[in-house]
Amino acid sequence: MFLNVENLSVEQLIEKQIELRQKLVQASSMGMSGPASQIQNMLEQISIEIKSKSQLQAIEKERERKIEEG
C-alpha cells in the first residue's frame, strides 16, 4: 500500500505517524500480521518523509540566515 505524504507538512506527518502507530498496536494485538506489516511499511515511509522535510527546512533556514547576514 502506497501512502501519498508528499503534500503534508511535518506537523501533519507526525499526526499521521501517531495515528498509524495506534493502528499498528491494534492490528498486532488482534493478530493481524498482514495489515500490521503494511502499517509498519507506511510508518517507515512517513519517517523517511519527516527526516527529508526536516532537513530541507534546516537547509532553508540556514540559507535565509546567510542571506540576512550578507
Coordinates of all heavy atoms in Angstrom, one line a residue:
M1 N 0.8 -1.2 0.0 CA 0.0 0.0 0.0 C 0.9 1.2 0.0 O 1.8 1.4 0.8 CB -0.9 0.0 1.2 CG -1.8 1.2 1.4 SD -2.9 1.0 2.8 CE -4.1 2.1 2.3
F2 N 0.6 2.1 -0.9 CA 1.4 3.4 -1.0 C 0.6 4.5 -0.4 O -0.6 4.7 -0.6 CB 1.7 3.7 -2.5 CG 2.5 4.9 -2.7 CD1 3.9 4.9 -2.4 CD2 1.9 6.1 -3.1 CE1 4.6 6.0 -2.5 CE2 2.7 7.3 -3.2 CZ 4.1 7.2 -3.0
L3 N 1.3 5.3 0.4 CA 0.8 6.4 1.2 C 1.3 7.7 0.5 O 2.5 7.9 0.5 CB 1.2 6.3 2.6 CG 0.5 7.2 3.6 CD1 -1.0 6.9 3.7 CD2 1.1 7.0 5.0
N4 N 0.4 8.6 0.1 CA 0.8 9.8 -0.5 C 1.0 10.9 0.6 O 0.0 11.4 1.1 CB -0.2 10.3 -1.5 CG 0.3 11.5 -2.3 OD1 1.4 12.0 -2.1 ND2 -0.6 12.1 -3.1
V5 N 2.2 11.1 0.9 CA 2.5 12.1 2.1 C 3.3 13.3 1.6 O 3.7 14.1 2.4 CB 3.2 11.3 3.2 CG1 2.3 10.3 3.8 CG2 4.5 10.7 2.7
E6 N 3.6 13.4 0.3 CA 4.4 14.5 -0.2 C 3.9 15.9 0.1 O 4.6 16.8 0.3 CB 4.7 14.3 -1.7 CG 5.5 13.1 -2.0 CD 5.7 13.0 -3.5 OE1 5.4 13.9 -4.3 OE2 6.2 11.9 -3.9
N7 N 2.6 16.0 0.1 CA 2.0 17.3 0.3 C 1.7 17.7 1.8 O 1.1 18.7 2.1 CB 0.7 17.4 -0.5 CG 0.9 17.3 -2.0 OD1 2.0 17.7 -2.5 ND2 0.0 16.7 -2.7
L8 N 2.0 16.8 2.7 CA 1.8 17.0 4.1 C 2.9 17.8 4.7 O 4.1 17.6 4.4 CB 1.6 15.7 4.8 CG 0.4 14.8 4.4 CD1 0.3 13.5 5.2 CD2 -0.9 15.6 4.5
S9 N 2.6 18.6 5.7 CA 3.6 19.3 6.5 C 4.2 18.4 7.5 O 3.7 17.3 7.7 CB 3.0 20.5 7.2 OG 2.2 20.1 8.2
V10 N 5.3 18.8 8.1 CA 6.0 17.9 9.1 C 5.0 17.7 10.3 O 4.9 16.5 10.8 CB 7.3 18.6 9.7 CG1 7.8 17.8 10.8 CG2 8.3 18.7 8.5
E11 N 4.2 18.7 10.7 CA 3.3 18.5 11.8 C 2.2 17.5 11.4 O 1.8 16.6 12.2 CB 2.6 19.9 12.1 CG 3.6 20.8 12.8 CD 4.5 21.6 11.7 OE1 4.2 21.5 10.5 OE2 5.5 22.1 12.2
Q12 N 1.7 17.6 10.2 CA 0.7 16.6 9.7 C 1.3 15.2 9.6 O 0.6 14.2 9.9 CB 0.2 17.1 8.3 CG -0.7 18.3 8.4 CD -1.0 18.8 7.0 OE1 -0.2 18.8 6.1 NE2 -2.2 19.3 6.8
L13 N 2.5 15.1 9.2 CA 3.2 13.8 9.1 C 3.3 13.2 10.5 O 3.1 12.0 10.7 CB 4.6 14.0 8.5 CG 4.6 14.2 7.0 CD1 6.0 14.6 6.5 CD2 4.1 13.0 6.2
I14 N 3.6 14.0 11.5 CA 3.7 13.5 12.9 C 2.4 13.0 13.4 O 2.3 12.0 14.0 CB 4.4 14.6 13.8 CG1 5.8 14.8 13.4 CG2 4.3 14.2 15.3 CD1 6.5 15.9 14.1
E15 N 1.3 13.8 13.1 CA 0.0 13.3 13.4 C -0.4 12.0 12.8 O -0.9 11.1 13.4 CB -1.0 14.4 13.1 CG -1.0 15.7 13.9 CD -1.9 16.8 13.4 OE1 -2.8 16.5 12.6 OE2 -1.7 17.9 13.9
K16 N 0.0 11.9 11.5 CA -0.3 10.7 10.8 C 0.5 9.5 11.4 O 0.0 8.4 11.5 CB 0.1 10.9 9.3 CG -0.4 9.8 8.4 CD -1.9 9.8 8.3 CE -2.4 9.0 7.1 NZ -3.9 8.9 7.2
Q17 N 1.7 9.8 11.8 CA 2.6 8.8 12.4 C 2.0 8.3 13.7 O 1.9 7.0 13.9 CB 4.0 9.4 12.6 CG 5.0 8.4 13.1 CD 6.3 9.0 13.3 OE1 6.4 10.1 13.8 NE2 7.4 8.4 12.7
I18 N 1.5 9.2 14.5 CA 0.8 8.8 15.8 C -0.4 7.9 15.5 O -0.6 6.9 16.1 CB 0.4 10.0 16.6 CG1 1.7 10.7 17.1 CG2 -0.5 9.7 17.7 CD1 1.5 12.1 17.6
E19 N -1.2 8.3 14.5 CA -2.4 7.6 14.1 C -2.1 6.2 13.7 O -2.7 5.2 14.1 CB -3.1 8.3 13.0 CG -4.3 7.6 12.4 CD -4.9 8.3 11.2 OE1 -4.7 9.6 11.1 OE2 -5.4 7.7 10.3
L20 N -1.0 6.1 12.8 CA -0.6 4.8 12.3 C 0.0 3.9 13.4 O -0.2 2.7 13.4 CB 0.4 4.9 11.2 CG -0.3 5.4 9.9 CD1 0.8 5.7 8.8 CD2 -1.2 4.3 9.3
R21 N 0.7 4.5 14.4 CA 1.2 3.7 15.5 C 0.1 3.1 16.3 O 0.2 1.9 16.8 CB 2.1 4.5 16.4 CG 3.5 4.8 15.7 CD 4.4 5.5 16.6 NE 5.7 5.7 16.0 CZ 6.6 6.5 16.4 NH1 6.3 7.4 17.4 NH2 7.7 6.6 15.7
Q22 N -1.0 3.9 16.5 CA -2.1 3.3 17.2 C -2.8 2.2 16.5 O -3.1 1.2 17.1 CB -3.2 4.5 17.5 CG -2.7 5.5 18.5 CD -3.6 6.7 18.5 OE1 -4.4 6.9 17.6 NE2 -3.4 7.5 19.6
K23 N -2.9 2.3 15.2 CA -3.5 1.3 14.4 C -2.6 0.0 14.4 O -3.1 -1.1 14.3 CB -3.7 1.8 12.9 CG -4.9 2.7 12.8 CD -5.1 3.2 11.4 CE -6.3 4.2 11.4 NZ -6.6 4.6 10.0
L24 N -1.3 0.2 14.4 CA -0.3 -0.9 14.4 C -0.5 -1.7 15.7 O -0.5 -2.9 15.7 CB 1.1 -0.4 14.3 CG 2.2 -1.4 14.3 CD1 2.0 -2.4 13.2 CD2 3.6 -0.8 14.3
V25 N -0.6 -1.0 16.8 CA -0.9 -1.7 18.1 C -2.1 -2.5 18.1 O -2.2 -3.6 18.5 CB -0.9 -0.6 19.3 CG1 -1.3 -1.3 20.5 CG2 0.5 0.0 19.4
Q26 N -3.2 -1.9 17.5 CA -4.5 -2.6 17.4 C -4.4 -3.8 16.5 O -4.8 -4.9 16.9 CB -5.6 -1.7 16.9 CG -6.0 -0.6 17.8 CD -7.0 0.4 17.1 OE1 -7.1 0.4 15.9 NE2 -7.6 1.2 18.0
A27 N -3.7 -3.7 15.4 CA -3.6 -4.8 14.4 C -2.8 -5.9 15.1 O -3.1 -7.1 14.9 CB -3.0 -4.3 13.1
S28 N -1.7 -5.5 15.7 CA -0.8 -6.5 16.4 C -1.5 -7.2 17.5 O -1.4 -8.5 17.6 CB 0.5 -5.8 16.9 OG 1.2 -5.3 15.8
S29 N -2.3 -6.5 18.3 CA -3.0 -7.2 19.4 C -4.1 -8.1 18.9 O -4.4 -9.0 19.6 CB -3.6 -6.1 20.3 OG -4.6 -5.4 19.7
M30 N -4.6 -7.9 17.7 CA -5.6 -8.8 17.2 C -5.0 -9.9 16.3 O -5.7 -10.6 15.7 CB -6.6 -7.9 16.3 CG -7.4 -7.0 17.2 SD -8.4 -5.7 16.4 CE -9.0 -6.5 15.0
G31 N -3.7 -9.9 16.3 CA -3.0 -11.0 15.5 C -3.1 -10.8 14.0 O -3.0 -11.8 13.3
M32 N -3.3 -9.6 13.5 CA -3.4 -9.4 12.1 C -2.0 -9.0 11.5 O -1.7 -7.8 11.4 CB -4.4 -8.2 11.9 CG -5.8 -8.5 12.4 SD -6.9 -7.1 12.4 CE -7.2 -7.0 10.6
S33 N -1.2 -10.0 11.3 CA 0.1 -9.7 10.8 C 0.2 -9.1 9.5 O 1.1 -8.3 9.2 CB 1.0 -11.0 10.9 OG 0.4 -12.0 10.0
G34 N -0.7 -9.4 8.5 CA -0.6 -8.8 7.2 C -0.8 -7.3 7.3 O 0.0 -6.5 6.8
P35 N -2.0 -6.8 7.8 CA -2.2 -5.4 8.0 C -1.1 -4.7 8.8 O -0.7 -3.6 8.5 CB -3.5 -5.3 8.6 CG -4.2 -6.5 8.2 CD -3.2 -7.6 8.2
A36 N -0.6 -5.4 9.9 CA 0.4 -4.8 10.7 C 1.7 -4.6 9.9 O 2.3 -3.5 10.1 CB 0.7 -5.7 11.9
S37 N 2.0 -5.5 9.0 CA 3.2 -5.3 8.2 C 3.0 -4.1 7.2 O 3.9 -3.3 7.0 CB 3.4 -6.6 7.4 OG 4.5 -6.4 6.5
Q38 N 1.8 -4.0 6.7 CA 1.5 -2.8 5.8 C 1.6 -1.5 6.5 O 2.2 -0.5 6.0 CB 0.2 -3.0 5.1 CG 0.1 -4.1 4.1 CD -1.3 -4.2 3.5 OE1 -2.3 -3.7 4.1 NE2 -1.4 -4.8 2.3
I39 N 1.1 -1.5 7.7 CA 1.1 -0.3 8.6 C 2.6 0.0 8.9 O 3.0 1.2 8.9 CB 0.3 -0.4 9.8 CG1 -1.2 -0.6 9.4 CG2 0.5 0.7 10.8 CD1 -2.1 -1.0 10.6
Q40 N 3.4 -1.0 9.2 CA 4.8 -0.8 9.5 C 5.5 -0.1 8.3 O 6.3 0.8 8.5 CB 5.5 -2.1 9.9 CG 6.9 -1.9 10.4 CD 7.1 -1.0 11.6 OE1 6.3 -1.2 12.5 NE2 8.0 -0.1 11.6
N41 N 5.2 -0.6 7.1 CA 5.8 0.0 5.9 C 5.4 1.4 5.8 O 6.2 2.3 5.4 CB 5.4 -0.8 4.7 CG 6.0 -2.2 4.6 OD1 7.1 -2.4 5.2 ND2 5.4 -3.1 3.9
M42 N 4.1 1.8 6.0 CA 3.7 3.1 6.0 C 4.4 4.0 7.0 O 4.8 5.1 6.7 CB 2.2 3.2 6.1 CG 1.4 2.7 5.0 SD -0.4 3.0 5.1 CE -0.9 1.6 6.1
L43 N 4.6 3.5 8.2 CA 5.3 4.2 9.2 C 6.8 4.5 8.8 O 7.3 5.6 9.0 CB 5.3 3.4 10.5 CG 4.1 3.5 11.4 CD1 4.1 2.5 12.5 CD2 3.9 4.9 11.9
E44 N 7.4 3.5 8.1 CA 8.8 3.8 7.6 C 8.8 4.8 6.6 O 9.7 5.7 6.6 CB 9.3 2.4 7.1 CG 9.6 1.4 8.2 CD 10.0 0.1 7.7 OE1 10.3 -0.1 6.5 OE2 10.1 -0.9 8.5
Q45 N 7.8 4.8 5.7 CA 7.7 5.8 4.7 C 7.5 7.2 5.3 O 8.1 8.2 4.8 CB 6.5 5.5 3.7 CG 6.3 6.5 2.6 CD 5.1 6.1 1.8 OE1 4.4 5.1 2.0 NE2 4.7 7.0 0.9
I46 N 6.7 7.3 6.3 CA 6.4 8.6 6.9 C 7.7 9.1 7.7 O 8.1 10.2 7.6 CB 5.2 8.5 7.9 CG1 3.9 8.4 7.1 CG2 5.2 9.7 8.9 CD1 2.7 8.3 7.9
S47 N 8.4 8.2 8.3 CA 9.7 8.5 9.0 C 10.7 9.1 8.0 O 11.3 10.1 8.3 CB 10.3 7.3 9.7 OG 9.4 6.9 10.7
I48 N 10.8 8.5 6.8 CA 11.7 9.0 5.8 C 11.3 10.4 5.4 O 12.1 11.3 5.2 CB 11.8 8.0 4.6 CG1 12.5 6.7 5.0 CG2 12.5 8.7 3.4 CD1 12.3 5.6 4.1
E49 N 10.0 10.6 5.2 CA 9.5 11.9 4.7 C 9.7 12.9 5.8 O 10.1 14.1 5.5 CB 8.0 11.7 4.4 CG 7.5 12.9 3.6 CD 8.0 13.0 2.1 OE1 8.4 12.0 1.6 OE2 8.0 14.1 1.6
I50 N 9.5 12.6 7.0 CA 9.7 13.6 8.1 C 11.2 14.0 8.2 O 11.5 15.2 8.3 CB 9.3 13.0 9.5 CG1 7.8 12.9 9.6 CG2 9.9 13.8 10.7 CD1 7.3 12.1 10.8
K51 N 12.1 13.0 8.0 CA 13.5 13.3 8.0 C 13.9 14.2 6.9 O 14.6 15.2 7.0 CB 14.4 12.1 8.0 CG 14.4 11.3 9.3 CD 15.1 10.0 9.2 CE 15.0 9.2 10.4 NZ 15.6 7.8 10.3
S52 N 13.4 13.9 5.7 CA 13.7 14.7 4.5 C 13.2 16.1 4.6 O 13.9 17.0 4.4 CB 13.0 14.0 3.3 OG 13.5 12.8 3.0
K53 N 11.9 16.3 5.0 CA 11.4 17.6 5.2 C 12.0 18.4 6.3 O 12.2 19.6 6.1 CB 9.9 17.5 5.4 CG 9.1 17.1 4.1 CD 7.7 17.2 4.2 CE 7.1 16.8 2.8 NZ 5.6 17.0 2.8
S54 N 12.4 17.7 7.4 CA 13.1 18.4 8.4 C 14.5 18.9 8.0 O 14.9 20.1 8.3 CB 13.3 17.5 9.6 OG 12.0 17.2 10.2
Q55 N 15.2 18.1 7.2 CA 16.5 18.5 6.7 C 16.3 19.7 5.7 O 17.1 20.6 5.7 CB 17.2 17.3 6.0 CG 17.7 16.3 7.0 CD 18.2 15.1 6.4 OE1 18.0 14.8 5.2 NE2 18.9 14.2 7.2
L56 N 15.3 19.6 4.9 CA 15.1 20.7 3.9 C 14.8 22.0 4.6 O 15.2 23.0 4.2 CB 14.0 20.3 2.9 CG 14.3 19.3 1.9 CD1 13.0 18.9 1.1 CD2 15.4 19.8 0.9
Q57 N 14.0 21.9 5.7 CA 13.7 23.1 6.5 C 14.9 23.7 7.1 O 15.1 24.9 7.1 CB 12.6 22.8 7.6 CG 11.2 22.6 7.0 CD 10.2 22.3 8.1 OE1 10.6 22.0 9.3 NE2 8.9 22.3 7.8
A58 N 15.8 22.8 7.6 CA 17.0 23.3 8.2 C 17.9 24.0 7.2 O 18.5 25.0 7.5 CB 17.8 22.1 8.9
I59 N 18.0 23.4 6.0 CA 18.8 24.0 4.9 C 18.2 25.3 4.5 O 19.0 26.3 4.3 CB 18.9 23.0 3.7 CG1 19.7 21.8 4.1 CG2 19.4 23.7 2.5 CD1 19.6 20.7 3.1
E60 N 16.9 25.4 4.4 CA 16.3 26.7 4.1 C 16.5 27.7 5.1 O 16.8 28.9 4.8 CB 14.8 26.4 3.8 CG 14.0 27.6 3.4 CD 14.4 28.2 2.0 OE1 14.9 27.4 1.2 OE2 14.2 29.4 1.8
K61 N 16.4 27.4 6.4 CA 16.7 28.3 7.5 C 18.1 28.8 7.4 O 18.4 30.0 7.6 CB 16.3 27.7 8.8 CG 14.9 27.6 9.1 CD 14.6 27.0 10.5 CE 13.1 26.9 10.7 NZ 12.8 26.3 12.0
E62 N 19.0 27.9 7.2 CA 20.4 28.3 7.1 C 20.7 29.2 5.9 O 21.4 30.2 6.0 CB 21.3 27.0 7.0 CG 22.8 27.3 6.9 CD 23.4 27.9 8.1 OE1 22.8 27.8 9.2 OE2 24.5 28.4 8.0
R63 N 20.0 28.9 4.8 CA 20.2 29.8 3.6 C 19.6 31.2 3.9 O 20.2 32.2 3.5 CB 19.4 29.1 2.4 CG 19.6 29.9 1.1 CD 18.9 29.2 0.0 NE 17.5 29.4 0.0 CZ 16.9 30.5 -0.4 NH1 17.6 31.5 -0.9 NH2 15.6 30.7 -0.4
E64 N 18.5 31.2 4.5 CA 17.9 32.5 4.9 C 18.8 33.3 5.8 O 18.9 34.5 5.7 CB 16.5 32.3 5.5 CG 15.4 31.9 4.5 CD 14.1 31.6 5.1 OE1 14.0 31.7 6.4 OE2 13.2 31.1 4.4
R65 N 19.4 32.6 6.8 CA 20.3 33.3 7.7 C 21.5 33.9 7.0 O 21.9 35.0 7.3 CB 20.7 32.3 8.8 CG 21.6 32.9 9.9 CD 22.2 31.9 10.9 NE 23.1 30.9 10.2 CZ 24.3 31.2 9.9 NH1 24.9 32.4 10.2 NH2 25.1 30.3 9.3
K66 N 22.0 33.1 6.1 CA 23.2 33.6 5.3 C 22.8 34.8 4.5 O 23.6 35.7 4.3 CB 23.8 32.5 4.5 CG 24.5 31.4 5.2 CD 25.1 30.3 4.4 CE 25.8 29.3 5.2 NZ 26.4 28.2 4.4
I67 N 21.6 34.8 3.9 CA 21.2 35.9 3.1 C 21.0 37.1 3.9 O 21.4 38.2 3.6 CB 19.8 35.6 2.4 CG1 20.1 34.5 1.3 CG2 19.2 36.8 1.8 CD1 18.8 34.0 0.6
E68 N 20.5 37.0 5.1 CA 20.3 38.1 6.0 C 21.7 38.7 6.5 O 21.8 39.9 6.7 CB 19.5 37.7 7.3 CG 18.0 37.5 7.0 CD 17.3 37.0 8.2 OE1 17.8 36.9 9.3 OE2 16.1 36.7 8.0
E69 N 22.6 37.8 6.7 CA 24.0 38.2 7.1 C 24.8 38.9 6.0 O 25.7 39.6 6.2 CB 24.8 37.1 7.7 CG 24.2 36.6 9.0 CD 25.0 35.4 9.5 OE1 25.9 34.8 8.8 OE2 24.7 35.0 10.7
G70 N 24.4 38.6 4.8 CA 25.0 39.2 3.6 C 26.1 38.3 3.1 O 27.0 38.3 2.6

